[in-house]
Every structure is written in structure tokens, then in C-alpha cells.
Amino acid sequence: MFLGTHNPRLDDKGRLFLPAKYREELSGGLVITKGQERCLYVFPTAEFQRITEALRNAPVTDRSVRAYSRVFFAGASDELPDKQGRVTIPAPLRAYAGLTRDCTVIGANTRLEIWDTAAWEDYLAAEEPAFADISEEVLPGIL
């Protein structure tokens, strides 16, 4: 489970330090792909394989399944962190998420998300006020 908010910087070679607390879990490999709202999703390889299997079993005759799969897999890149815990973010993914220097990495349960810091702050400012209102819709009767 991934939790918390971290603020690493992207270096000149497009590398990002993974949060120290997750480096061991991600040391065997990870997959970076396009996420919603112009962020990047980072999955441990095993979790990405689980999602791949679920999409493999989805009906290819469903237009939304085809569209989602195309964007999700076409933008995906499997990466191996270096000994310092850095991972290279491919240029097309950096461009998609608008990553330049200051990044925010958030834990989002089974994945990490990488955001441009200004984009994350804008997103949070827009969505946080509705947080209490949507809890009943997302988690009915749980919280």
C-alpha cells in the first residue's frame, strides 16, 4: 500500500528519486504509464501484471475497453530503479504530465502517482472541498 506525499525533483536526465520508503518494494521493477488528470501512474511490476490480466479478460468488443487499453499500454514503460533509487521517466511521459523540475509523488493505495507540483496543488485545491461530500458515494456506509 502506498501512502503519503513526497516532493522529489526531476534531474537534468529525467530521473526522479523514488520515496525511500518504497524503494525496496519497487527495486525489482516497475511500470510507469499515463494516468488520468495528466499525472503518471507507477505500479510495481506484479500489480501491473494483475491489471494486465484483468484487461486481457475484458471484452475486446467493448469500445471503451479498447480505447483505455490503447492509451494505457501504448504509454507504458517498464523501468528498473538504479542503485540510488532513481528511476528514469521517459520524455513522452514527462511531456504528458508536464513534468519539468518540481514533482509531487503521492501514494494512491496500489500505485504511486507522479504530478507536476503546480498541477497537483491546483488539483488538490479544486477537489479537496468536495472530499467530504463524495465519501458517501465512494465508500457508502464504511466511513
Side-chain angles (χ1 to χ4, degrees), residues 5 120-135:
T5 302
W120 170 248
E121 290 170 354
D122 290 345
Y123 176 83
L124 199 55
E127 297 298 326
E128 209 166 29
F131 179 69
D133 296 335
I134 63 173
S135 66

Side-chain angles (χ1 to χ4, degrees), residues 21 24 27 29 46 60 63 69 75 78 83 88 98 117 122 139 142:
K21 66 193 278 184
E24 187 172 328
S27 66
V60 73
R63 183 182 184 119
S69 292
D78 56 336
K83 292 177 183 175
T88 299
T117 295
D122 290 345
L139 300 167
I142 295 176

Side-chain angles (χ1 to χ4, degrees), residues 19-107:
K21 66 193 278 184
Y22 301 125
R23 287 182 193 161
E24 187 172 328
E25 184 174 353
L26 297 170
S27 66
L30 54 93
V31 177
I32 306 170
T33 192
K34 293 177 179 179
Q36 280 84 19
E37 292 85 35
R38 294 281 188 186
C39 72
L40 301 178
Y41 290 168
V42 179
F43 295 100
T45 301
E47 178 64 11
F48 191 80
Q49 290 171 339
R50 185 191 67 76
I51 294 166
T52 298
E53 191 60 34
L55 285 169
R56 180 178 291 133
N57 293 322
V60 73
T61 54
D62 185 322
R63 183 182 184 119
S64 61
V65 170
R66 290 192 311 272
Y68 185 85
S69 292
R70 287 173 181 145
V71 173
F72 189 73
F73 291 109
S77 179
D78 56 336
E79 301 292 333
L80 192 61
D82 68 14
K83 292 177 183 175
Q84 289 79 39
R86 295 175 301 195
V87 65
T88 299
I89 301 174
L93 289 173
R94 290 194 312 267
Y96 169 80
L99 303 179
T100 53
R101 185 88 171 134
D102 294 324
C103 297
T104 298
V105 175
I106 65 164

